[in-house]
Amino acid sequence: MRNSTKVEALIESCRSEGKWQKVIDLSEELKTGSPNNECLATFLVGEARLEGFLEESPPIESNFVKARSGLQEAKRCLSLVTRENGQKAGIALDAYLLLAKLCYACGEYEKSLENFVKAELNTLAEKELTLRSLRILAESYAIKGLCLENQTAKPSSKFKKAEKESEMITCFERSTDLGLLYLQEQDVAHYSATTNNTGGSTLTINTNVQQSFSNLTISSSAPATPLELNRRMGTILETALQRAPIVLIKAGKLQEAINRYRTMLNAIETKTTQSLRLTLARQLAEVLLRGVSGTIYSPPTQKKQSSGLWKPRKYAAHNQFIPRNQQEETILLLLIAEALAVKDTVLSQSPEFRLARTHAMGNATAVYDLLTLATVRWGLIQLLNESFEKALKFSFGEQHVWRQYGISLMAAGKHMHALRVLQESIKLNHNDPLPCLLASKLCYESLGLIKEGLEYAQLAMKRESKNIRNTRSQLYVGIGYQQLAIQSILKAERENYNKLALDALEKSAQLDSNDHLCEYYLSLQYALLNNISEALAHIRFALSLRTEHAPSLHLFALLLTGSRRPREALTVVEDALEEFPDNLNLLHIKAHLQLHLQDAEIALVTVQRMLAIWRELYEGQVNVEDEKQSDTKV
């Protein structure tokens, strides 16, 4: 028989490691060795049965009924300890906290809060705690915050409501601090034990250990190894860590929420928090993108590390990079999130890794979508292209990533490369017309590949479902025929293409009578056929659908000149230039009309303005091309 001191040390070790069945066995041994330990043994059995049950059935709504029947024995044991013997032994406080956790697992929020009152949770003073006690306390604050959030009874006054809100926020903040500290201490304990077991070998905190894909969504099934189970933070702590800033946002305290995100991200990383860090970085970036404008943004500041016993350790260095503005912080967060998401990706295409691959891909896609919004907003297209190039290494068969990459290449002006990427996207999904339309637009506007663009447009029409109007696909087909007619030299061929274009454009206008582009291109087609009256009717309708469309205003002015109404055309052009002062096409027409209606001096002023705008927009581009040509000369 082992002495009670050694048994108690073994029990404490098993509690920290989550070996609950062994705790029950050792508790019986403890009770047998000394009758005075009966109260402690009863507490340990109750704790072990509670924690063992929650590992199999997490405290979620679907498990409430099961918990009420399955936790009867644990409730009986813990209730016994809250009596006089437990108070004398100094374990009544822990018993009340675990009873509160038990009530929460059963969905009894009010009873849970009552147990916290009995435990006097709000009056606890900071002191050194064991690893298991840290976890109990962190979960207790988390559970209290969740119970307050889920209370059905509404406060009787605004004061009571504010008081409840403040208490809930405090609970979540204390829970996150204690939870992060617990995970840090858990890492230290684990590596200390590993070092001792390996004879003092040196291990770094950031060794490359493959993460379980289920860290973000805790699974009720048993993990592959005991180590993975022992090192999990648990559903309650994970929920609290994610809820803390969200509760502040819901309370209208946006800056406090941002500061909470920053505090959590600045805590020293542990193995368990790597996947959580990805979620927090992505969420903070989303908050900065969606909820913060430049006028109310406050950059992070370097503060002294707080020395409280219940505060997590934070990174502190003299050469830390501190973002100076919203753009820098958002991009930094997304690049950190991208690095973490790429690290967690699963390259194997084996069926057994399908769930892990889907989960990792979902995280990566969410990060890349936010990165797209941020980089496009601030004109960092090259950075976006580099990120998508890295993403292709693990995005086999992922059409969304390939399509986004193609669009980013279009924005960067890499048109032929973009077309090849879109061709791959078209192959990945045989029902999606969007990449076909993007490829068609690219061929028409940038590559001059009219026949290829028409083929993509026709493919998009075939892919349109029967329940969705294929207006845009029909329009792109009409544009393709229209461009082929313009390029045709043979009269019979040109007439055939014109007829096909007119039929397609009329059909697209019938499919959607509110699409200004259909009316614009239909008007253009009638103008090409010298039917000015029909062209004017359709361009007026197009402008009634969208007044501020520069190409429609341009065509309207040309049609007015074609119908011998130059003064009206000049008026239209002058009004349009108030909205689009740098439009070279409108300025070109204005110069011609001024030369015809007024005199050369006035027209010359307009031409000089055109040249100034052209120089500002394109001179740099021309100089770069000239330099490239001169570099290639022998």
Side-chain angles (χ1 to χ4, degrees):
M1 181 69 68
R2 289 174 286 196
N3 62 55
S4 59
T5 304
K6 188 174 181 180
V7 172
E8 286 177 14
L10 281 171
I11 289 173
E12 188 60 35
S13 176
C14 291
R15 289 177 74 208
S16 298
E17 294 173 6
K19 299 176 181 177
W20 300 114
Q21 186 55 49
K22 196 169 182 180
V23 169
I24 294 174
D25 297 338
L26 290 170
S27 298
E28 293 299 325
E29 187 177 332
L30 184 67
K31 190 193 300 183
T32 307
S34 174
N36 295 330
N37 291 327
E38 183 175 353
C39 186
L40 176 59
T42 304
F43 167 78
L44 292 170
V45 170
E47 177 189 40
R49 294 197 184 283
L50 171 63
E51 297 295 349
F53 178 88
L54 293 180
E55 281 179 2
E56 297 295 327
S57 305
I60 55 178
E61 190 173 351
S62 59
N63 291 331
F64 285 169
V65 176
K66 184 180 178 182
R68 286 165 192 160
S69 59
L71 291 174
Q72 290 295 327
E73 178 62 18
K75 186 175 183 180
R76 186 189 66 80
C77 293
L78 292 172
S79 298
L80 286 173
V81 181
T82 59
R83 298 173 186 173
E84 186 177 351
N85 290 339
Q87 292 175 357
K88 288 181 180 178
I91 53 178
L93 169 63
D94 293 58
Y96 278 124
L97 294 178
L98 289 175
L99 275 172
K101 183 177 181 178
L102 188 148
C103 293
Y104 172 75
C106 297
E108 299 168 347
Y109 302 132
E110 294 297 336
K111 289 184 180 179
S112 182
L113 291 170
E114 289 172 9
N115 281 299
F116 286 129
V117 173
K118 293 175 183 177
E120 299 179 346
L121 182 63
N122 290 343
T123 62
L124 296 180
E126 291 189 15
K127 62 178 181 180
E128 294 282 351
L129 296 172
T130 63
L131 198 58
R132 175 62 187 161
S133 297
L134 263 178
R135 175 159 186 157
I136 291 175
L137 196 58
E139 288 186 335
S140 296
Y141 279 114
I143 290 168
K144 185 175 181 182
L146 291 168
C147 287
L148 290 169
E149 190 177 20
N150 291 320
Q151 264 186 326
T152 53
K154 294 184 178 180
S156 56
S157 65
K158 289 184 179 180
F159 175 76
K160 290 284 185 183
K161 183 180 179 181
E163 187 179 30
K164 175 186 170 182
E165 190 178 84
S166 176
E167 186 178 8
M168 181 173 64
I169 290 170
T170 301
C171 286
F172 279 122
E173 289 180 341
R174 287 181 181 173
S175 174
T176 55
D177 288 341
L178 286 163
L180 291 170
L181 178 61
Y182 160 72
L183 295 171
Q184 290 171 352
E185 293 294 340
Q186 188 185 51
D187 255 23
V188 172
H190 168 70
Y191 287 110
S192 296
T194 307
T195 304
N196 292 334
N197 291 337
T198 56
S201 61
T202 303
L203 290 175
T204 58
I205 293 297
N206 290 321
T207 51
N208 186 19
V209 178
Q210 185 176 359
Q211 292 293 301
S212 168
F213 73 90
S214 58
N215 280 347
L216 273 176
T217 306
I218 300 301
S219 170
S220 59
S221 60
T225 64
L227 178 62
E228 288 176 334
L229 175 61
N230 297 342
R231 296 175 63 75
R232 273 189 189 171
M233 67 181 76
T235 308
I236 294 171
L237 272 185
E238 184 183 29
T239 303
L241 287 166
Q242 295 191 32
R243 288 296 298 167
I246 294 173
V247 167
L248 286 164
I249 292 172
K250 290 175 69 176
K253 300 179 179 181
L254 186 61
Q255 189 57 50
E256 288 88 338
I258 292 171
N259 291 337
R260 174 50 51 177
Y261 273 122
R262 288 169 176 167
T263 300
M264 293 163 70
L265 287 167
N266 200 31
I268 292 176
E269 186 176 303
T270 68
K271 291 296 177 186
T272 314
T273 57
Q274 283 181 357
S275 56
L276 178 68
R277 184 176 291 270
L278 164 61
T279 303
L280 294 176
R282 190 183 72 222
Q283 287 178 350
L284 178 53
E286 190 171 357
V287 169
L288 292 174
L289 280 171
R290 294 177 58 187
V292 178
S293 65
T295 55
I296 64 171
Y297 172 80
S298 297
T301 55
Q302 194 168 19
K303 298 178 181 178
K304 286 188 177 181
Q305 185 173 334
S306 54
S307 56
L309 294 174
W310 290 358
K311 295 289 184 183
R313 292 183 290 277
K314 299 179 181 178
Y315 291 109
H318 296 296
N319 297 322
Q320 273 187 331
F321 171 75
I322 301 176
R324 295 165 297 177
N325 52 50
Q326 182 183 0
Q327 177 180 340
E328 284 188 358
E329 184 172 10
T330 304
I331 296 297
L332 175 63
L333 286 165
L334 290 172
L335 291 178
I336 291 171
E338 182 200 10
L340 292 169
V342 170
K343 183 180 177 182
D344 287 342
T345 53
V346 180
L347 297 179
S348 174
Q349 297 297 312
S350 301
E352 61 265 27
F353 295 111
R354 184 176 61 83
L355 288 175
R357 198 166 53 246
T358 302
H359 177 86
M361 197 65 226
N363 282 337
T365 301
V367 172
Y368 284 120
D369 286 346
L370 286 174
L371 190 61
T372 300
L373 292 174
T375 51
V376 170
R377 177 185 291 186
W378 292 309
L380 304 173
I381 301 299
Q382 186 57 39
L383 176 63
L384 182 63
N385 286 338
E386 292 171 3
S387 294
F388 274 123
E389 283 177 7
K390 288 184 283 184
L392 294 182
K393 295 176 184 177
F394 56 84
S395 301
F396 175 78
E398 294 293 334
Q399 195 233 16
H400 179 73
V401 174
W402 281 88
R403 187 172 65 195
Q404 291 283 73
Y405 182 39
I407 295 172
S408 72
L409 288 169
M410 289 173 66
K414 300 176 181 179
H415 301 127
M416 188 54 72
H417 191 179
L419 182 61
R420 295 194 187 100
V421 172
L422 289 172
Q423 286 170 345
E424 187 65 27
S425 179
I426 289 169
K427 295 175 187 176
L428 293 175
N429 189 337
H430 297 288
N431 298 316
D432 187 5
L434 183 56
C436 302
L437 292 174
L438 290 171
S440 177
K441 180 179 180 181
L442 197 57
C443 290
Y444 290 158
E445 291 185 350
S446 306
L447 299 174
L449 304 173
I450 306 304
K451 288 187 177 180
E452 289 83 348
L454 179 59
E455 289 173 3
Y456 287 123
Q458 290 169 335
L459 180 59
M461 279 186 65
K462 292 177 183 177
R463 291 187 173 192
E464 292 284 3
S465 89
K466 295 179 182 179
N467 298 324
I468 301 175
R469 292 179 298 181
N470 55 355
T471 311
R472 198 45 58 98
S473 302
Q474 190 73 52
L475 172 63
Y476 276 40
V477 170
I479 294 172
Y481 284 130
Q482 188 179 83
Q483 293 301 312
L484 287 174
I486 293 171
Q487 293 180 356
S488 296
I489 300 173
L490 299 175
K491 182 179 178 183
E493 189 179 71
R494 184 168 61 250
E495 287 177 351
N496 181 47
Y497 282 136
N498 275 325
K499 183 178 181 303
L500 291 171
L502 188 61
D503 291 342
L505 292 170
E506 284 182 339
K507 189 174 180 180
S508 69
Q510 290 168 6
L511 288 170
D512 189 353
S513 58
N514 293 314
D515 189 346
H516 69 284
L517 286 178
C518 294
E519 293 294 331
Y520 166 75
Y521 281 103
L522 186 56
S523 174
L524 178 59
Q525 183 61 30
Y526 276 118
L528 292 171
L529 295 171
N530 296 319
N531 192 340
I532 304 299
S533 58
E534 281 292 328
L536 278 169
H538 285 284
I539 199 62
R540 284 194 174 102
F541 188 35
L543 286 168
S544 70
L545 294 172
R546 186 179 174 187
T547 309
E548 298 173 353
H549 184 231
S552 294
L553 292 166
H554 179 214
L555 180 57
F556 185 36
L558 288 173
L559 290 171
L560 287 173
T561 59
S563 59
R564 300 183 183 279
R565 289 186 277 178
R567 294 191 183 280
E568 290 182 40
L570 183 59
T571 303
V572 168
V573 169
E574 288 174 343
D575 290 342
L577 283 169
E578 290 182 8
E579 193 67 37
F580 306 100
D582 297 336
N583 191 297
L584 293 175
N585 290 327
L586 292 173
L587 286 168
H588 186 223
I589 296 176
K590 183 180 179 181
H592 273 285
L593 290 170
Q594 286 175 331
L595 185 61
H596 176 69
L597 296 173
Q598 298 170 355
D599 59 43
E601 291 295 329
I602 297 174
L604 185 60
V605 172
T606 303
V607 172
Q608 288 171 341
R609 184 181 167 195
M610 281 179 63
L611 288 171
I613 293 171
W614 180 89
R615 186 180 295 113
E616 185 180 342
L617 293 175
Y618 301 111
E619 189 174 37
Q621 181 179 335
V622 172
N623 290 339
V624 170
E625 290 177 356
D626 289 342
E627 287 175 10
K628 287 181 180 179
Q629 290 176 4
S630 63
D631 290 341
T632 58
K633 290 179 181 178
V634 180

